[in-house]
Each structure stands twice: as C-alpha cells, then as structure tokens.
C-alpha cells in the first residue's frame, strides 16, 4: 500500500450484543460475527488492522470460541486475544490492555490504535492514509479520535464538538453521550459536531498517564491484575463498568485537557451498521448484502429483505418495510423505526423466550452445531467438526446419543473402542459411556445426532479430556 507504520499496535474491542440487528445478532452470536457481507465484521476488521501491526483482541469469555475461529480465518494466532470474564465496557478493556502491554515490556512510545470490531470501512486506502496521520499525531502525545460528519440529527451516536478553526485536524472541545432528539437536532444544526466513530489512537505511556489522572480508582485495580491473570476474574468482578468516552475523554475536556485531543474527519466510508435501516441504506448505495432471500415484488416499493437461510419472499402492495427472516424468528418493521428493535427484544426477554438471546446454532472450538428439532425428551442436531479437530472426551448422565455420518470420515471413541465411519455409517452411545468424535478425513465432518432421554439440555455433560482447556 506504500504506507509504513512503525510502531502502531492495534487493539480490537469485540464485545456487546448488537440487539438492534436482532434476530440475526443475538447475545449468543453478536453482530461482529454475523456475515452480512462476504466476511464477518470481526474478520474484516482483523484483516484490515493487521496491516498496521500485530492486533490483539479483547472479547468476552463467552465469545472465545467464535473469536479464536475468526483469528485463525484471518491468519492470526489463536492466543492474540484476552477474554474478559465479565463485560465492563470500553474503559476497563483498554486500561487492561495498557497494563498487559506494559507488563510485556512493549515500548512506551508505541502508538496504540483502538478499533471496534463491528464497523464497516468501504475505502481502505483512505483509512490507511488517515491512520498514518493519526500515528504521527499520537506519537507527539495527542489523543486522536475520528469523527463522522453527521448527515442527520441522529440519537444513535455519541457526539464530539470541535474547534473548527483547523478543519483538517480540529482540536476537541467536548464529548457528549448519545443525545435526545431535541439536542441531536441542535448538534446537527450547529455545524461543529461530529459523530463519535469509537476509533482512537494514543501513545502507550500517555494512555497510562491519562488513566492514572482521570480514572485513578479503575487504574489502581487494573494494576493489581497479575501478568499470569491468576487473579483476573476476582479483580474484574469488582471493577465498575464505564465507557472510555464518559470515564476518560469527557473528564479530559472538562479539565481543560482538550489541547491534547484531536478529531480527524473520518473520510474512509465508515458505518457502524447499527440498525436495519443502515443496512438498507448501504444496499441502496450498492454495497452487496449477503442475503439468501429470493424476493418477488408486486406493487411493492422501497422494501428491504434479508434472510439468513434460503427462502422465497413475496411482497405485494406494501412499501417501506424491513423484513428479516431467520430459522426461528421473523422481524417486520417500518423503515425509519428499526432503532426501536432493541425495545422489542426487551419485551421478548420479559416473556422469557430463549429466541431473544439464543440461536438454534452454536459455534464451538471444534466446529459447531445446529438444532434441527427440540422436544422435552429428544433433540436432533447437525454437527460439523472442522478438519483436524475433535470434540472433548465426554459423558452424559441422562441422555443417549445416536450418530449418523452424512459427509466426511469420523473416528469414534466409545470407552476403549475406536471405530472409523464414513458417510452412511452410524454409532450409538448410551448415557454413562465415555465417548469422543474426531474428524479423521480431509473435509469437514458432518453428523446428524439424535439425543434421547428424560433430559437433553446442553448442561448434561462432563468433559474428561479437552483440547480447548474446557475439562
């Protein structure tokens, strides 16, 4: 690309649940893993920022398996992540990485870039040019953020007020949390406000100083975390959840520290893809959305349709709708109203329906599964085991399992007996019998599993041995 980045270390923040993109994005499968485009948001982000330096990912323990798989897909090591035991927002996550990087003897003058995992960048050459400018500013102890020129008075973003005397690299005057409608309109009309992109750059030693000065209680707790993370979970449980904007940047500007903060205009085709309306807008701007819907329309205009599975969708006499289909949920909304989807999800949670947070499929370190049929005394799954992978050696107390190989080659260990099965082969394990499934072939192994018993919940499992440290 012709650009040289000498000292930047990218940190990718990969948390949250993205409920505004329900039913595709859920707590068990958040937005950054969804493949609305040719690759997931997280994979796109990793492949982009690894050109700046070797990235680290901060994620949640519940997302470890999905994150590790994405790291491997992006050609990065599985251990390039730190998994938080609890979600504590962006300030603790960035403070934690500042502490751990220092413990690793990373040079104080290293420029650290902080990048959300779930944003879309459509102009990568402009992105890298912007990072080159940001790196130079941050190396001189500026905190650099990137602002998006508002195209509407949105309540969905935080705002950055700038000094407009320097339009190429304006100084930051003030950070503001997401406003109400009236205040958003005021910000939009003022002309000196940007949306906050959530992308920041600092020098490592400067970042430590800022946490020590403006968030001393948090920083003291973070410093008590041992490099081997042996007390990580205990310390993190007692840390207050706080955003970087609110915990650090607002305090800097109120304390008169805005002279050391610069907001660069983000002119690289940025979108946080924070709603179905935004996805619809992107599609209208010729961004390809990877939907599996085959759509037929009759006297139906300006509708957006997305399906995660192959499905024919017919629209007749309706306009300006958003229609989103998954295996177990259907969303129909008026265009312009999709920011309210998160309120709808809250209602579904109140009804205690698992569909609010869980998909029928789960990603595991060895591959994953999809539930095809679920009843109180039986369950049918489609298992996919990656090439070279194997499941844990495990036992169940209350269910039997019957497997049929439909593609690939399996090696089944049942107690002390090992047997290889090809497509069409089957095997049976009773409750109480130790067993393990391994992919013994050169392609992904696909198995249909039928569970029977008086209880078929996912928690009826004891792992005896495991390649992924879950035993």
């Amino acid at each position: 690309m012709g650009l040289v980045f000498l000292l930047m270390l990218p940190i990718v923040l990969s948390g949250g649940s993205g409920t505004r993109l329900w039913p595709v994005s859920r707590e068990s499968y958040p937005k950054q893993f969804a493949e609305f485009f040719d690759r997931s948001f997280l994979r796109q982000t990793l492949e982009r920022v690894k050109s700046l330096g070797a990235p680290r990912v901060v994620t949640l323990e519940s997302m470890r398996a999905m994150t590790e798989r994405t790291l491997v897909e992006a050609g990065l090591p599985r251990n390039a992540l730190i998994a938080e035991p609890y979600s504590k927002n962006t300030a603790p996550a960035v403070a934690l990485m500042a502490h751990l990087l220092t413990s690793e003897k990373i040079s104080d003058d290293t420029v650290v870039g902080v990048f959300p995992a779930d944003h879309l960048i459509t102009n990568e050459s402009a992105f890298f040019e912007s990072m080159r400018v940001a790196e130079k500013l941050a190396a001189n102890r500026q905190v650099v953020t990137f602002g998006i020129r508002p195209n509407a008075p949105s309540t969905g973003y935080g705002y950055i007020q700038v000094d407009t005397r320097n339009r190429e690299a304006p100084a930051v005057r003030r950070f503001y949390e997401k406003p109400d409608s009236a205040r958003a309109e005021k910000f939009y009309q003022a002309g000196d406000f940007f949306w906050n992109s959530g992308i920041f750059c600092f020098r490592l030693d400067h970042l430590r100083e800022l946490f020590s000065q403006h968030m001393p209680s948090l920083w003291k707790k973070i410093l008590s975390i041992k490099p081997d993370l042996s007390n990580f979970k205990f310390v993190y449980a007692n840390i207050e959840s706080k955003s970087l904007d609110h915990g650090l940047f607002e305090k800097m500007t109120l304390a008169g520290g805005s002279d050391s903060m610069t907001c660069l205009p983000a002119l690289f085709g940025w979108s946080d893809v924070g709603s179905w309306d935004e996805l619809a807008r992107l599609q209208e701007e010729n961004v390809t959305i990877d939907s599996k819907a085959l759509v037929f329309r009759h006297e139906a205009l300006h509708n957006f349709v997305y399906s995660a599975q192959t499905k024919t969708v017919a629209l007749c006499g309706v306009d300006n709708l958003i229609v989103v289909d998954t295996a177990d949920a259907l969303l129909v909304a008026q265009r312009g109203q999709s920011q309210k989807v998160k309120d709808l999800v809250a209602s579904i949670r109140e009804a205690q329906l698992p569909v609010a947070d869980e998909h029928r499929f789960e990603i595991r370190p060895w591959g994953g599964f999809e539930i095809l049929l679920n009843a109180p005394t039986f369950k049918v799954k489609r298992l996919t085991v990656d090439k070279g992978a194997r499941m844990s050696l495990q036992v169940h107390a209350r269910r039997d399992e019957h497997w049929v190989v439909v593609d690939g080659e399996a090696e089944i260990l049942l107690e002390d007996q090992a047997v290889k099965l090809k497509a069409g082969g089957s095997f049976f394990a009773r409750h109480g019998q130790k067993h393990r499934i391994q992919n013994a072939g050169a392609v992904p192994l696909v198995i249909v599993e039928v569970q029977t018993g008086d209880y078929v919940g996912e928690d009826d499992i004891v792992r005896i041995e495991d390649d992924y440290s879950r035993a």
Side-chain angles (χ1 to χ4, degrees), residues 2 4 13 29 74 93 120 149 207 222 235 289 318 331 354 373 425 462:
V4 178
L13 302 182
Y29 185 73
L120 180 68
R149 180 67 68 184
L207 181 57
I222 289 291
V235 174
I289 309 297
V318 292
L331 170 71
L373 191 60
V462 175

Side-chain angles (χ1 to χ4, degrees), residues 328-347:
D328 57 353
L330 174 67
L331 170 71
V332 180
Q334 194 76 33
R335 289 189 65 167
Q337 300 293 313
S338 67
Q339 291 282 354
K340 299 176 182 177
V341 168
K342 61 182 179 180
D343 300 321
L344 197 60
V345 174
S347 299

Side-chain angles (χ1 to χ4, degrees), residues 135-333:
E135 182 183 55
K136 287 184 176 180
L137 290 168
N140 289 314
R141 297 177 64 82
Q142 284 282 310
V143 174
V144 183
T145 183
F146 289 85
I148 314 300
R149 180 67 68 184
N151 56 18
S154 174
T155 61
Y157 303 104
Y159 282 73
I160 304 170
Q161 187 178 22
V162 300
D163 184 338
T164 57
R165 288 176 294 182
N166 181 350
R167 292 191 175 274
E168 290 187 1
V172 173
R173 294 178 58 191
R174 185 84 183 269
F175 276 77
Y176 291 88
E177 293 285 329
K178 295 176 182 178
D180 58 22
S181 297
R183 205 174 199 196
E185 180 66 36
K186 181 180 177 182
F187 290 168
Y188 178 62
Q189 296 296 335
D192 59 345
F193 284 84
F194 286 90
W195 289 335
N196 184 357
S197 71
I199 302 173
F200 306 99
C201 294
F202 325 72
R203 240 175 78 143
L204 180 56
D205 55 354
H206 190 205
L207 181 57
R208 294 197 308 264
E209 292 167 14
L210 292 172
F211 277 118
S212 178
Q213 179 181 354
H214 297 289
M215 302 187 75
S217 177
L218 167 67
W219 188 236
K220 183 177 179 181
K221 291 177 181 177
I222 289 291
L223 289 178
S224 72
I225 296 174
K226 297 177 181 179
D228 65 0
L229 303 180
S230 56
N231 64 339
F232 181 28
K233 188 172 183 179
F234 173 78
V235 174
Y236 227 61
N238 294 290
I239 283 177
E240 182 183 3
S241 178
K242 187 79 70 172
S243 72
L244 207 57
D245 297 357
H246 184 60
L248 197 62
F249 300 143
E250 286 185 12
K251 292 177 182 177
M252 286 179 66
T253 55
L254 290 173
S258 59
D259 289 344
S260 63
M261 298 186 70
T262 300
C263 178
L264 295 178
L267 304 176
F268 39 72
W270 174 93
S271 171
D272 77 334
V273 196
S275 68
W276 289 111
D277 278 302
E278 178 65 4
L279 265 175
R281 183 191 71 79
L282 288 168
Q283 187 179 68
E284 289 173 349
E285 293 186 357
N286 297 317
V287 174
T288 301
I289 309 297
D290 188 19
S291 171
K292 294 179 174 61
L294 179 61
V295 183
F296 291 85
R297 301 175 177 87
H298 179 72
E299 297 180 358
L301 300 173
H302 310 301
N303 297 296
F304 173 81
V305 180
Y306 179 89
S307 179
Q309 55 193 347
T310 302
K311 181 167 285 191
T312 300
V313 179
L315 301 173
C316 183
V318 292
D319 299 330
N320 299 308
L321 291 183
I322 291 169
V323 180
V324 182
D325 179 67
T326 65
D328 57 353
L330 174 67
L331 170 71
V332 180

Side-chain angles (χ1 to χ4, degrees), residues 38-77:
D38 58 337
R39 295 160 294 161
S40 70
F41 287 106
L42 177 57
R43 183 171 173 184
Q44 288 186 56
T45 300
L46 290 172
E47 292 181 346
R48 183 185 312 119
V49 303
K50 73 180 184 181
S51 297
L52 309 177
R56 312 289 182 91
V57 181
V58 184
T59 189
L60 289 170
E61 187 61 47
S62 60
M63 301 179 194
R64 178 187 288 273
M66 292 184 286
T67 305
E68 288 180 344
R69 288 174 63 84
T70 308
L71 282 165
V72 172
E73 290 168 357
L76 296 165

